[in-house]
Amino acid sequence: MLDIRDINVFYGGIHAVKGLSINIQEKKIVSVIGANGAGKSTLLKAIMNLVPVKFGEIYFQGKRIDKLSTQEIVKNGISLVPEGRMLFTHLTVKDNLLLGAYNYYKKITKSELEKRIDKVYELFPILKERQKQISGTLSGGQQQMLAIGRALMTDPKLLILDEPSMGLAPLVVKEIFKVVKYLNEQGMTILMVEQNARAALKLSDYGFVLEVGEVVTWGRSEELLADEKITKAYLGG
Amino acid sequence: MFTVLLQFILSGITVGAIYALVGLGFNIIYNATSIINLAQGEFVVMGGLIMWFFSQSLQLPFFTSIILTILLVGLIGLMMERLTINPLKNADLLLMIMITVAVSIVLRGILMFKFGKDPYSYPPFTEGEPIVILGAVIQQQVLWVLGITLTCIGLIFLFFNKTMLGKAMSACAVNPTAAKLVGINVSRMIMLSFILSAILGAIGGIAITPISLMEYDKGPSLAVKGFCAAIMGGLGNGMGAVVGGFIIGILESLTAGYIHSGFKDAVALVILLGILFFKPAGLFGSKATLSVRKF
């Protein structure tokens, strides 16, 4: 579904991603793990063309996307939940969700829009309760839920999550991962970057391990979890 | 005694309205781009002079002239953004601000070339006797200026707080990356912010010219005062700029009336210095407003 071929990305003068290739199959959950500075977030930014891909190509459902604008990539069905949530903190919960569907205002009916919002509220009922609250005043967990909800408003085929568990209590992480699992069961493909590697691998079908901008190993998540060398190096023993 | 004071305050409110519009124009662009557009005063001058050109020189009907003036100045705002700001997307902020200075110099040159150095004016929107309130005389055009300014301000606030386009524009300011990720075309929003503040300036110029005349080089002083208004209210705070504009207008008029008209222009600068020294976030700003921009 997403075919990344031999891409090189420079970020702030650093060769952050070096000749990296990853192939993500439809309806799978894929985790990318690795230490800080391994190029995980840069990879995600490159997929969305928030940083330019210098060499190499990215294909999404057979269509080349690495030269498209972020806006076009979103229209093609990829949505990123950015690291640090990046909410529009001055707007209400509902406005954040509405802006999430910004591309679709002229294309979908009001009832379709409401349906999408209701779907998000079904996944995260707390957001419905708080829909009139200014999003900057939500708790960290609720902000992450809203960030995911906002990304879902574009009705993506591929949902990308950058560090969804960062700074959240274990219970909240569990709830968010449950939703990710549910979305995947509904047919959505998921690509996830996580510090919390063990939890991420438990959730996912495949894992890729990144080290200084390159894939050093990859495989089925169970296999990675069973591999002693990997658990030692990346999962803290 | 009281009548004189009232008269000064009224004339202060009139110029203050224009400063408010300029200040609001500053904020619209600042909020979308963090750029201080120092060509903001030229938008006002162009509003007045181009209106004169259409309505007096070409003798076009009143409403047609207004519409054409607004469209033309809006177009100039658009061209300014597309030709000078947009090509340098990732340039240093200070460089961008210098570019707006350059644009203002070029615009002033073109205006002088076309209109010369004479002040221009045209008849007020409605003819008729001035209105007298408690002894103070109000020209009808003053009511037009106030009415138009307040309507514009109201529309701008509705735009940013009630329409999706306005919210999307404010979203670009708060987090451009997130705005891109939800599919907002940030570059187009920046263009729109320039058009919008050019139009605001033009409307101010159109309204004030029958009262205070307009000449090619009035831009910088308008920009300075509008900027003071914006700083006073807390840069990025729309309502703050409006209040700041009126305060500066009134203080200026009182200074001219009670002290000396030569000190008039110093008022805004003294206020600017005072604010920067003692309350850099502005009267209505807290430290938080330095990072959060809201209309």
Side-chain angles (χ1 to χ4, degrees), chain A residues 1-2 43-53 57-61 63-80 103-104 151 154-160, chain B residues 180-184:
Chain A
M1 181 182 217
L2 184 74
L43 167 68
L44 300 190
K45 286 193 182 111
I47 295 173
M48 300 309 290
N49 198 6
L50 291 172
V51 293
V53 174
E57 290 148 22
I58 302 176
Y59 292 85
F60 181 65
Q61 298 187 309
K63 187 179 170 188
R64 190 163 172 187
I65 59 162
D66 53 283
K67 294 282 178 274
L68 297 180
S69 70
T70 305
Q71 193 193 11
E72 288 294 320
I73 293 169
V74 174
K75 271 189 197 162
N76 272 291
I78 307 182
S79 198
L80 168 70
N103 261 336
Y104 300 90
T154 63
D155 200 13
K157 298 180 196 109
L158 170 64
L159 182 69
I160 306 180
Chain B
K180 277 187 197 164
L181 284 173
V182 297
I184 296 171

Side-chain angles (χ1 to χ4, degrees), chain B residues 89-124:
Chain B
K89 246 172 228 128
N90 298 317
D92 183 54
L93 203 59
L94 194 61
L95 181 72
M96 303 277 228
I97 295 173
M98 291 318 290
I99 286 173
T100 69
V101 176
V103 170
S104 83
I105 293 171
V106 171
L107 286 176
R108 232 175 296 146
I110 296 172
L111 288 172
M112 190 183 77
F113 189 68
K114 170 80 186 104
F115 292 95
K117 295 181 173 177
D118 301 325
Y120 286 82
S121 188
Y122 39 83

Side-chain angles (χ1 to χ4, degrees), chain B residues 86-272:
Chain B
N86 188 51
L88 293 167
K89 246 172 228 128
N90 298 317
D92 183 54
L93 203 59
L94 194 61
L95 181 72
M96 303 277 228
I97 295 173
M98 291 318 290
I99 286 173
T100 69
V101 176
V103 170
S104 83
I105 293 171
V106 171
L107 286 176
R108 232 175 296 146
I110 296 172
L111 288 172
M112 190 183 77
F113 189 68
K114 170 80 186 104
F115 292 95
K117 295 181 173 177
D118 301 325
Y120 286 82
S121 188
Y122 39 83
F125 296 177
T126 46
E127 301 288 344
E129 289 298 308
I131 299 155
V132 180
I133 298 175
L134 301 171
V137 183
I138 308 174
Q139 299 174 46
Q140 290 197 5
Q141 186 66 20
V142 168
L143 297 179
W144 278 110
V145 170
L146 290 178
I148 288 169
T149 306
L150 295 177
T151 309
C152 283
I153 292 166
L155 288 176
I156 288 288
F157 280 87
L158 282 182
F159 173 71
F160 278 102
N161 291 313
K162 295 287 170 216
T163 72
M164 229 45 221
L165 186 62
K167 285 176 186 173
M169 223 164 130
S170 72
C172 290
V174 169
N175 198 322
T177 306
K180 277 187 197 164
L181 284 173
V182 297
I184 296 171
N185 188 334
V186 175
S187 147
R188 194 174 300 164
M189 289 295 162
I190 291 174
M191 181 178 93
L192 197 63
S193 75
F194 273 82
I195 297 175
L196 208 57
S197 51
I199 287 176
L200 266 189
I203 291 174
I206 292 170
I208 196 78
T209 300
I211 301 176
S212 69
L213 312 183
M214 195 58 80
E215 59 241 44
Y216 83 101
D217 63 352
K218 231 179 189 171
S221 93
L222 284 167
V224 165
K225 285 161 191 173
F227 182 61
C228 291
I231 292 281
M232 193 168 174
L235 203 53
N237 181 332
M239 200 43 108
V242 172
V243 177
F246 282 114
I247 292 179
I248 289 173
I250 291 168
L251 288 180
E252 216 181 77
S253 166
L254 291 177
T255 310
Y258 286 118
I259 304 173
H260 192 280
S261 63
F263 288 135
K264 191 183 82 165
D265 289 331
V267 170
L269 294 170
V270 170
I271 292 176
L272 179 62

Side-chain angles (χ1 to χ4, degrees), chain B residues 48-107:
Chain B
L49 294 183
I50 293 172
M51 177 68 186
W52 175 86
F53 175 73
F54 283 132
S55 66
Q56 305 301 309
S57 180
L58 295 185
Q59 293 283 323
L60 294 178
F62 177 70
F63 275 111
T64 319
S65 305
I66 288 191
I67 305 275
L68 285 177
T69 306
I70 289 175
L71 287 179
L72 187 56
V73 179
L75 183 71
I76 292 168
L78 178 151
M79 280 167 47
M80 172 178 176
E81 196 277 333
R82 283 293 116 163
L83 297 178
T84 69
I85 304 293
N86 188 51
L88 293 167
K89 246 172 228 128
N90 298 317
D92 183 54
L93 203 59
L94 194 61
L95 181 72
M96 303 277 228
I97 295 173
M98 291 318 290
I99 286 173
T100 69
V101 176
V103 170
S104 83
I105 293 171
V106 171
L107 286 176

Side-chain angles (χ1 to χ4, degrees), chain A:
Chain A
M1 181 182 217
L2 184 74
D3 192 7
I4 300 173
R5 295 184 194 166
D6 201 19
I7 61 164
N8 285 273
V9 185
F10 293 81
Y11 193 52
I14 298 164
H15 196 170
V17 173
K18 301 170 188 163
L20 182 145
S21 298
I22 286 181
N23 192 334
I24 294 165
Q25 289 169 356
E26 212 166 329
K27 298 190 179 157
K28 299 286 186 216
I29 302 182
V30 175
S31 299
V32 174
I33 60 175
N36 273 332
K40 304 184 301 280
S41 284
T42 308
L43 167 68
L44 300 190
K45 286 193 182 111
I47 295 173
M48 300 309 290
N49 198 6
L50 291 172
V51 293
V53 174
K54 191 116 186 197
F55 309 108
E57 290 148 22
I58 302 176
Y59 292 85
F60 181 65
Q61 298 187 309
K63 187 179 170 188
R64 190 163 172 187
I65 59 162
D66 53 283
K67 294 282 178 274
L68 297 180
S69 70
T70 305
Q71 193 193 11
E72 288 294 320
I73 293 169
V74 174
K75 271 189 197 162
N76 272 291
I78 307 182
S79 198
L80 168 70
V81 182
E83 188 180 350
R85 291 130 207 173
M86 293 196 182
L87 295 176
F88 304 124
T89 46
H90 65 304
L91 295 175
T92 62
V93 169
K94 180 144 191 200
D95 280 342
N96 268 275
L97 292 176
L98 284 168
L99 279 179
Y102 191 77
N103 261 336
Y104 300 90
Y105 276 107
K106 286 169 198 141
K107 287 170 211 131
I108 60 177
T109 58
K110 205 156 184 171
S111 66
E112 167 69 24
L113 195 65
E114 289 296 331
K115 232 197 266 168
R116 283 192 194 181
I117 291 185
D118 285 340
K119 254 195 205 157
V120 172
Y121 286 161
E122 249 170 63
L123 293 174
F124 303 113
I126 186 79
L127 294 182
K128 185 168 190 178
E129 279 170 42
R130 308 259 162 139
Q131 56 177 322
K132 295 216 171 87
Q133 194 173 328
I134 299 293
S135 62
T137 63
L138 294 174
S139 74
Q142 291 160 1
Q143 291 199 6
Q144 186 63 56
M145 291 172 192
L146 179 55
I148 295 174
R150 186 180 64 184
L152 291 175
M153 290 298 290
T154 63
D155 200 13
K157 298 180 196 109
L158 170 64
L159 182 69
I160 306 180
L161 300 147
D162 194 352
E163 304 277 7
S165 76
M166 189 150 61
L168 300 182
L171 222 66
V172 183
V173 175
K174 217 169 168 187
E175 197 181 337
I176 284 172
F177 278 12
K178 214 167 81 189
V179 169
V180 171
K181 185 90 196 156
Y182 171 79
L183 289 170
N184 174 248
E185 283 161 7
Q186 303 294 306
M188 198 177 286
T189 313
I190 313 273
L191 170 62
M192 192 162 64
V193 156
E194 256 299 340
Q195 287 282 336
N196 189 347
R198 191 181 293 275
L201 285 176
K202 274 189 185 148
L203 185 71
S204 53
D205 300 299
Y206 290 93
F208 287 81
V209 181
L210 249 60
E211 215 170 86
V212 279
E214 286 168 287
V215 176
V216 285
T217 181
W218 70 281
R220 297 193 63 85
S221 299
E222 310 86 273
E223 291 165 14
L224 293 178
L225 281 167
D227 188 328
E228 220 173 90
K229 261 196 302 194
I230 289 172
T231 47
K232 251 200 186 125
Y234 299 101
L235 309 179

